[in-house]
Structure formats: structure tokens, C-alpha cells
Amino acid sequence: MRLFVCVSIMLLSCVSEGAASDPISRMAANGSDNPTKVTASEEIVYDKTADSVEATGGVTIDRDALHLTADTVHFNASTQDATADGDVRMNMDGDNFSGNRLNFNLDNQTGAFYDGTLFLKDNNMHIKAGEIKKYGADSIFAQDVLITTCDGASPAWEIAGKKLDITVGGYGTMSNALFKVKRVPVFYFPFLVFPVNLPRQSGLLSPYFDYSQRRGLEYSQPFYWAINDSSDATFYLNHMALRGEKLGAEYRYFLSDTDKGVAMFDFLKDKKVDDGTGTTSKDWGYGGYPFRQNSDRYWFRMKQDQEFGDQSSLMLDLDIVSDQDYLHEFRRDVSGYQDSDNLFLGLFNRQLDDYNDQVRKNRLAFTTQWPGYSLNAEALWWDNVIARTQNETDSTVQSLPVVSFDGYRQPLFGTLLYGDFETQAAYLYRKDGIRGERIDLYPRLYLPRRLGRVLSVEPSVGARETLWQISDDDGSQQDTVSSQHRELYDFKLDLSSEIYHVFRPDWAQIDALKHNMRFQVDYDYTPTLGQEDYPYFDGLDRIDGENLITYSIVNTFTSRRGAENGYQYSQVARLELSQSYDLNKERNGDPEPFNPVEGYLQLDFGKWCYLEADAEWSTYSGEFASHNIAYRFSDERGDLLSLQHRYTASLLETLMVSATLKLTDGIWLFPKYEKNLKTYKMVSRGLDLIYRAQCWSVETRYEEEYDNDQVDWHVGLTFTLYGLGGMGSGALHNEGLPSWANGGF
């Protein structure tokens, strides 16, 4: 008859007279609510003098999250030391060991494992050695060791090393490391460093490689510095065989959603210049004159948000580049224009100017608000890159600063009238040309009324006063100063009516669908005023006369779904149609007083389908003046199709298509294509292929970019070992997917 004995330390201390200590009290003092329990299927012998247990046959030890099984176990209750032999298996919060022998202390969780494998759950790492020592709460050491993150008896890859030292939640190091594929040696590393279950740890990140026509073989090595819990930095060394070394640095801090900042800087001593001679413009430039003749090339960009209390905030945007070609040349690089733009958009909801823009915005803005009022102060510097680098005349207008104080719409003195106002004071500076101060005052009165239950009427009138004091800088020692003023008024009349109906569909888990239809007719009048004699800095200095009737209809569809914490509402569709009739054109004999019909359509069905389109259609020509469409579709497998088509008559027509195609569970294809349909010329095209296995992935990348009948092609290779980082150009992708394939428009 099989003997089964279950003994707890509490029971042993009660039945054994003269026990040296009370294990139950000891465990409680050590912070555990549960006593250590020893169970065996054959025999348990308790030595009360030594306060120890000798157990044989199907032995188990349980304490808190630790579970150990073995053929035989010697356990000392006083010291909490356990020695296990024969088919040893131990599990602690998902980490486990399987082997022949174990010496382990249950209190401090240190000890040695023999002839077996230690598995670390968070990295899915298997460590196999004759002896594995756990010498701290999170520290492991082994010699003559094999590691892999592949499951199974025959791993796809493994690394054999002389010595292994790991700090869980930090980094692992291995000396004399030999990388093997299916146990065949492939690479040798004198010293190897890899992260172990810690996303923010200082050290070298995975290198990446690329090859292109304009740069040759390219190798980049990033270094990551985790400064503290709220800030970090990354440094880049990018070697380009044909161009030289590009150095980069990126600093980030994040204190809260409203207190954060990112600063990035790159520098390249370029071996190649575009001086217009021979084939330099074709080989190293973009578009010819003005030629890029500088070899010292750089780009500094920065964004920062800072909040002061609940009502005040500060924003900083900096964008300073050395030449007009830099952002084009390094548009798709790691930490290049596209990566930087995506980072700023995601973190600050503000983007960089387009990479083709040669006048780039730098801004420092302060905003504070009170109930009904706001104050905004802004210093705005537009950096004209070509004028600065080519020593050309620079008439770019700078606002240094511009201050506005605005009052929101609110009732006036208990009457039927409402009012608001806008005020602005600015110092407008040019390096070459007139400069000076401008003050603009613009109050407005409203009289909203409702006629019956269906019609809303709102007349309003605004008065504008603009004052200039101008300094005409003609290069002489004394400037000519003059003052001017302008008075202007405008009148508006808005008529609107709104109806709605609620449907109760029985599909798509929708409780209700509300269709709202708004009809509106607006009349806008501003008298035509000759303004040629006034100074000109921006659009505020030239306010065109207007005599316009606009009629529109807006349809919105809003769904309601039941939820645990109430209802969820979302706008699933929006359709707008509008057209304006210009009375000034009609009075001046213009044969086409009607402006084009404008339309806007938005369909949003979550991740499954999103469509956004706008168009302008001429009632006279019967043709579209412009139309644009953006469409995205995805399915449960993860396939994604993204399409954009843009058309403006006699100007441009482009088509952009990208897709994510899941061929199998492990094979993903990412094609992309952009073409100018107006000129029938290719803009760019490329194809990425990713194969993902359980513990590794490989990616190949090919891309062509066309510019002024020039083509630049790139080819790259990424090999990633899951749990140990990657080798190759792995930073090209976000979570294994190309950044352009993430479904954004």
C-alpha cells in the first residue's frame, strides 16, 4: 500500500518536544503569510535537533510563489536551506529550473543549479550549464554555458560562451561567445552584451547596415543612456563609406503629459559637395541651383511643452538645418526627417515643416487663460535656409514678438447682445526691407435670435482698427519712420435650421444611430478698400472686400453602443456640401459668379475602414477643380491597405499606395508605391519582406527614390534575435512593421 505523508513545519513543531525554534513564528517574522510545506509520497523524517526534514519519493516544497519537486529533498527549517536531488523542477513566478541537483535558500532565493536548464520567463531565455549560480535576488552566473530564446530540444539558434553574467532587469554579458544556427557555428564575439527584461538600460543598442547608391555601405551604432526615470538620451555613430561619419544625439525627458521635451542634433563632415561642376549636381545634389557647396552639414530640431498651473503653458519649436538638401537626403534614415516627424507628432501632436520647405518655423509661445479671456505671446522666427546659406536678400517677416489678448463670446450687460474681441500687437522685423510695429483691434457684436422652433438667425457686425509705425531701413544710418492707420468694418448674417432622426438598427451592436441634418445660409460683407499704400507684412495687412452668399448642408451620423460604464458615442459618417455666390463678381460682369461646389466626406468604421475625401466641382466646366481621397482598410488577420490620391487641375495628380499583407503566420509583405500621374513619373517604390519565427526574424528591404530623373536605391537586411535585440537595420521598423505601414495618413 502506497504511503502518503504530508507534513507542515507548524505540525512538526507542535508534536516534537523541545524543538529549537518555532518555524511558524520564524516564517511570519520573515514576512510570509504561508508556512513552508513539505509533501512526500514515500517517507518524511524529521530531526528535531537539527530542525530539518529528510523527504523521499515524489517530494514537493511549497512556499508563497515557489514550488519545488524532486526525488529526494533535505530541508532545514531554521535556515530555510533546501538540497534537492533527482529530476529536480523548481518554479518561481514563471521562472523555472529543471535538472539533476539543486542547493537553494528559500529566504534570500540564492543558490546553485546543476546539470540542467534555467528558464527566465520575461525574456523567454533558456540557460543551460553544468552549474548555474544565483548569487543575488536578480543576479545569475554560469560557465561553459549555452543560451537561447528558442523553445524545443533543437533550437534554431543558440550562443555558447565561456562565462555568463546576468542581472535580471538590467544587462547580461558573455565572454568568448560563439553564435550558432542549428548548432553550426556562424559568428564569434569576444564580448557580447544584451538586455534582460529591462526596456530602459544604458548600453549599446543593435547596430544596423544599409547600402545605397549615394552613400555606399552604411553602418550605424547607437548607444542608449538611461539618465534617470524621467529622461534618457541616444547617441549615434553613422559611417557612410562615400560620405563620411554622421554623428547624432537625441535627448528626451518626460515628467508628465504636459511637461516634456525632445532635442535632436546631427552633424556630418560630408566628403561630397554640389558645386555645379561635372556631375556633382546629379550625384550629390537635389535639383541643381542653388548648389549645396557646404561640407559641414547639420540639423537641430527640438520641441518642448511646459505647463504652469492649470491655465498657463509654454511651447517651444526649433528647426534649424544647414542646407536645402539635408532633409531630403536623410528623409528616411533612422533618426532622420520621417522618424523625427513621427516622434514629434506622437509626443506633442505637432509636426515639423515639410522636408521640402526651405523656410522653416522656429517658435516660442506662451499662453494663459482666464474665464472668458486669453493672452498669447509668441516669438516667431522663419529661417530662410537658402537666403541664409547663399547670402541672398532676406525679406522674410519675423514676429519678435506678437502678443494677442482675446475675449471669448459672452453676453453683454444683461442685454440680448453678445460680444467678443481680438487684439494684437506685433513687432515685425525683416533683415532686408521695411520693419516696424503693428496694432490691430477687432471687436464684434452679435444678436442671436430664434424664430419659431426651426430657424436660428444671427446678425453680427465687426469693426477693425489697424495702426502701423514703420521704419524703412535703406542701409543709411538713420531710418525713415512713418505712421499709418486703417479703419474697416464687416457684416455677417447667419441663418440655420437643424433636424434629426434616431434610428434603432439591429446590426453591428449599435443601440441607436442619430442622423443630424443642418441647413445653413451665410451672408458675408466687407467693403472693398484700396490698401496699396499700407505696409505689407502678412495677410492681416490686406483684407479683401467680400460680398458673398454661402449655402451649405451638413449631414452627420452618430452611433451609440452600450458599455459597462455607460454609452459609447462615435461619429461614423459626415457629409458636407457647400457653394458660394459672389455678388461682387456678378456686379463686375464676371460670367462665373458661382464658386465651385465644395464637398467633404468622412466614413469611420474603426480599424476596419476609414475614408476621407474632399472635392471641388465647377458648375461651369462640369469638371472637378480638385479632389483628394484617403482610404484605409484592415481585417482581423492584420492585413492593411492604405491609399491616397490627390488631384488639382493643371497642377498635380499623385497616387500613393502602401499595404501590409500577411501571407502566413510568419511571413509579412510590405509593398509601397508613389507615382506622379500628371507627369507619369515614379516618385518612389519599395518592398519589405519579413519572416518571423518563434525566436528570430529576418527582414529584407529594397527602395527606390526618384528625383529630377535621378534614382537613388537602398537595400538593407535585418536579423533580429528575440530576447537579445537585433543585428542589421532593425531600427527601420516599429514593432516589426515598417513605419509607413502603420495605417496613418
Side-chain angles (χ1 to χ4, degrees):
M1 178 178 177
R2 183 178 179 85
L3 175 66
F4 177 82
V5 182
C6 178
V7 181
S8 70
I9 300 303
M10 179 178 181
L11 179 60
L12 290 173
S13 63
C14 291
V15 301
S16 301
E17 296 181 359
S21 61
D22 184 352
I24 297 296
S25 300
R26 182 184 301 278
M27 295 300 297
N30 288 342
S32 174
D33 295 331
N34 299 318
T36 303
K37 295 182 180 179
V38 181
T39 304
S41 60
E42 293 184 5
E43 184 180 33
I44 293 180
V45 178
Y46 174 59
D47 184 346
K48 67 177 181 180
T49 303
D51 196 17
S52 63
V53 171
E54 194 79 32
T56 58
V59 184
T60 65
I61 294 183
D62 290 288
R63 173 178 168 180
D64 297 326
L66 183 146
H67 178 74
L68 184 149
T69 65
D71 292 340
T72 64
V73 171
H74 177 82
F75 175 69
N76 188 295
S78 299
T79 63
Q80 293 290 298
D81 288 324
T83 300
D85 290 281
D87 193 20
V88 180
R89 300 177 185 275
M90 186 178 74
N91 184 287
M92 293 183 299
D93 293 322
D95 295 341
N96 59 69
F97 167 77
S98 59
N100 291 330
R101 188 164 178 260
L102 173 148
N103 292 328
F104 199 74
N105 184 274
L106 276 62
D107 270 344
N108 54 37
Q109 297 188 355
T110 60
F113 312 93
Y114 300 94
D115 300 325
T117 301
L118 177 63
F119 174 75
L120 303 180
K121 176 186 66 174
D122 290 323
N123 277 55
N124 202 70
M125 182 180 296
H126 303 265
I127 304 171
K128 185 176 182 179
E131 181 181 5
I132 304 172
K133 293 182 179 180
K134 189 171 184 294
Y135 59 90
D138 297 306
S139 301
I140 297 168
F141 177 80
Q143 297 190 75
D144 300 322
V145 64
L146 285 172
I147 65 170
T148 184
T149 59
C150 301
D151 298 332
S154 180
W157 63 266
E158 58 187 357
I159 301 176
K162 184 65 176 176
K163 293 182 179 180
L164 174 71
D165 204 335
I166 284 179
T167 299
V168 178
Y171 264 71
T173 62
M174 180 182 283
S175 61
N176 295 323
L178 186 61
F179 176 70
K180 300 179 181 180
V181 177
K182 285 295 183 181
R183 297 179 179 170
V184 176
V186 177
F187 297 113
Y188 171 75
F189 303 94
F191 190 74
L192 185 65
V193 182
F194 53 90
V196 183
N197 187 31
L198 187 64
R200 299 186 71 255
Q201 178 68 30
S202 301
L204 295 175
L205 301 180
S206 301
Y208 56 92
F209 304 89
D210 206 338
Y211 185 84
S212 66
Q213 192 173 359
R214 295 173 68 100
R215 304 181 211 169
L217 182 63
E218 190 172 349
Y219 166 80
S220 182
Q221 176 62 67
F223 174 80
Y224 178 77
W225 179 22
I227 301 173
N228 52 45
D229 290 342
S230 59
S231 65
D232 55 39
T234 305
F235 302 92
Y236 300 90
L237 171 61
N238 188 8
H239 169 75
M240 297 173 285
L242 299 180
R243 311 300 290 273
E245 276 63 49
K246 182 159 73 81
L247 305 177
E250 176 181 345
Y251 171 75
R252 301 165 293 269
Y253 79 88
F254 189 93
L255 300 176
S256 68
D257 288 336
T258 56
D259 298 335
K260 54 196 173 183
V262 176
M264 309 171 75
F265 179 74
D266 303 327
F267 178 81
L268 168 66
K269 186 74 172 181
D270 203 334
K271 296 179 181 179
K272 307 296 183 181
V273 298
D274 171 19
D275 58 8
T277 62
T279 62
T280 56
S281 293
K282 177 182 178 182
D283 295 339
W284 317 117
Y286 291 91
Y289 186 84
F291 305 118
R292 194 271 303 167
Q293 303 185 57
N294 57 299
S295 59
D296 291 339
R297 310 183 69 185
Y298 57 85
W299 183 30
F300 178 77
R301 59 273 192 207
M302 177 179 179
K303 290 190 184 297
Q304 181 180 8
D305 284 350
Q306 181 70 46
E307 189 171 277
F308 305 95
D310 296 331
Q311 306 298 328
S312 302
S313 62
L314 184 74
M315 292 191 303
L316 176 65
D317 297 323
L318 297 177
D319 185 356
I320 303 171
V321 67
S322 61
D323 55 79
Q324 69 273 18
D325 292 344
Y326 189 95
L327 301 184
H328 197 147
E329 185 138 38
F330 300 106
R331 178 159 56 114
R332 299 186 185 275
D333 287 53
V334 176
S335 78
Y337 172 82
Q338 195 170 66
D339 277 1
S340 301
D341 192 50
N342 290 337
L343 173 64
F344 289 144
L345 177 62
L347 193 58
F348 300 94
N349 200 31
R350 303 196 300 275
Q351 292 184 266
L352 294 163
D353 294 330
D354 189 80
Y355 69 93
N356 278 319
D357 290 344
Q358 302 305 327
V359 180
R360 311 196 65 80
K361 179 171 65 177
N362 295 268
R363 180 180 66 158
L364 176 64
F366 174 79
T367 300
T368 187
Q369 294 180 335
W370 303 274
Y373 303 94
S374 68
L375 174 67
N376 300 276
E378 180 178 74
L380 188 62
W381 179 272
W382 295 93
D383 183 27
N384 190 322
V385 178
I386 292 180
R388 171 169 52 83
T389 58
Q390 305 296 323
N391 293 320
E392 296 181 355
T393 299
D394 189 356
S395 59
T396 308
V397 177
Q398 318 294 352
S399 302
L400 301 172
V402 56
V403 179
S404 62
F405 179 66
D406 302 329
Y408 305 139
R409 180 170 165 167
Q410 50 194 290
L412 297 179
F413 313 112
T415 67
L416 298 177
L417 293 174
Y418 284 74
D420 62 23
F421 64 85
E422 299 175 7
T423 65
Q424 185 189 97
Y427 174 67
L428 304 168
Y429 170 84
R430 284 189 180 99
K431 180 181 178 183
D432 301 298
I434 63 170
R435 61 192 70 165
E437 297 85 22
R438 182 184 66 199
I439 296 177
D440 186 71
L441 309 175
Y442 184 37
R444 188 171 200 85
L445 292 176
Y446 305 83
L447 181 61
R449 304 297 295 165
R450 189 166 184 85
L451 303 181
R453 300 179 61 184
V454 295
L455 184 64
S456 296
V457 180
E458 184 179 85
S460 65
V461 61
R464 185 184 295 273
E465 175 76 20
T466 309
L467 308 171
W468 294 272
Q469 182 165 296
I470 302 304
S471 172
D472 188 4
D473 185 4
D474 58 0
S476 62
Q477 292 184 353
Q478 186 171 2
D479 299 336
T480 302
V481 178
S482 63
S483 299
Q484 292 178 276
H485 60 89
R486 177 190 64 188
E487 291 76 30
L488 199 61
Y489 75 93
D490 64 81
F491 173 77
K492 294 184 179 182
L493 178 63
D494 298 337
L495 305 175
S496 64
S497 183
E498 193 170 318
I499 59 175
Y500 71 90
H501 182 74
V502 177
F503 301 92
R504 303 291 179 178
D506 56 357
W507 41 267
Q509 298 179 342
I510 294 177
D511 298 329
L513 182 67
K514 180 181 179 180
H515 175 207
N516 192 87
M517 185 178 296
R518 180 181 177 87
F519 305 90
Q520 187 156 338
V521 178
D522 300 327
Y523 174 65
D524 295 273
Y525 175 76
T526 303
T528 300
L529 179 68
Q531 303 173 70
E532 297 80 7
D533 295 334
Y534 296 126
Y536 181 74
F537 296 101
D538 54 38
L540 186 59
D541 301 310
R542 296 291 185 270
I543 298 178
D544 296 332
E546 193 173 54
N547 197 3
L548 204 65
I549 298 176
T550 302
Y551 41 90
S552 62
I553 179 172
V554 179
N555 292 269
T556 58
F557 294 84
T558 304
S559 66
R560 187 186 75 179
R561 291 178 172 87
E564 294 181 0
N565 299 324
Y567 290 107
Q568 290 183 340
Y569 297 88
S570 62
Q571 182 176 286
V572 297
R574 184 180 182 90
L575 174 63
E576 301 179 15
L577 291 172
S578 65
Q579 188 181 30
S580 297
Y581 182 77
D582 196 323
L583 295 173
N584 283 341
K585 287 184 178 181
E586 188 271 335
R587 291 177 179 176
N588 293 330
D590 193 313
E592 299 182 358
F594 282 97
N595 291 341
V597 178
E598 298 181 3
Y600 174 80
L601 173 65
Q602 182 186 50
L603 300 175
D604 189 353
F605 299 104
K607 68 177 183 178
W608 305 108
C609 175
Y610 179 86
L611 183 144
E612 188 172 3
D614 62 78
E616 293 183 353
W617 185 75
S618 172
T619 57
Y620 299 103
S621 67
E623 297 178 348
F624 283 102
S626 69
H627 55 77
N628 307 288
I629 185 171
Y631 172 78
R632 182 182 70 234
F633 170 80
S634 61
D635 58 24
E636 290 182 342
R637 291 178 359 122
D639 299 302
L640 173 71
L641 173 65
S642 173
L643 180 148
Q644 294 186 63
H645 180 262
R646 302 189 180 279
Y647 169 81
T648 302
S650 304
L651 184 61
L652 65 87
E653 184 175 9
T654 61
L655 175 65
M656 292 173 282
V657 181
S658 64
T660 299
L661 304 176
K662 184 180 180 181
L663 304 183
T664 69
D665 286 340
I667 301 177
W668 296 74
L669 199 64
F670 305 93
K672 65 175 179 177
Y673 174 92
E674 182 177 354
K675 188 173 184 178
N676 187 329
L677 301 181
K678 183 70 69 175
T679 62
Y680 300 101
K681 292 183 178 181
M682 191 70 62
V683 177
S684 68
R685 58 185 175 186
L687 181 67
D688 284 20
L689 175 66
I690 295 179
Y691 173 73
R692 297 174 179 167
Q694 179 265 323
C695 57
W696 62 279
S697 68
V698 62
E699 172 196 343
T700 59
R701 169 201 179 208
Y702 180 77
E703 183 178 10
E704 295 176 354
E705 290 186 277
Y706 296 79
D707 190 282
N708 295 326
D709 297 323
Q710 303 175 40
V711 59
D712 185 23
W713 52 268
H714 299 258
V715 60
L717 177 68
T718 302
F719 182 63
T720 302
L721 306 178
Y722 297 154
L724 292 184
M727 296 180 293
S729 51
L732 293 171
H733 283 186
N734 179 21
E735 297 181 356
L737 302 182
S739 58
W740 47 263
N742 287 336
F745 288 116

